[in-house]
Amino acid sequence: MAARMIFWVLGAMLFYLVSLWPSLQFAAFADNTRVHLLFLAACAILFFVFRVLAKRAAGGDPAAPPGDQASTP
């Protein structure tokens, strides 16, 4: 249950990051380079958090084939 809640919170953050945040920055007349760099950095951080939490929830390497991962009860 907690993993689902964390997933939904991270999904909501990703939605805001991709769909709304750049538009708000451009509306505030931010420099193009600044908007793009902050967007890339924020996406990288968020995807890293997704990866770490997925690895922790799976109990192994999430990049491994499904047969190689440890099964969770």
Side-chain angles (χ1 to χ4, degrees):
M1 180 68 167
R4 266 191 212 166
M5 294 299 292
I6 292 171
F7 172 76
W8 280 103
V9 168
L10 289 175
M13 289 172 62
L14 186 62
F15 172 76
Y16 174 77
L17 175 68
V18 171
S19 65
L20 300 175
W21 193 45
S23 298
L24 293 174
Q25 286 185 337
F26 282 126
F29 301 106
D31 182 47
N32 286 343
T33 304
R34 180 178 183 267
V35 173
H36 289 107
L37 289 177
L38 286 175
F39 174 77
L40 290 175
C43 280
I45 290 169
L46 196 57
F47 287 139
F48 176 74
V49 171
F50 265 115
R51 173 107 173 142
V52 167
L53 291 176
K55 187 175 185 178
R56 183 174 176 206
D61 184 16
D68 292 343
Q69 292 181 352
S71 61
T72 56

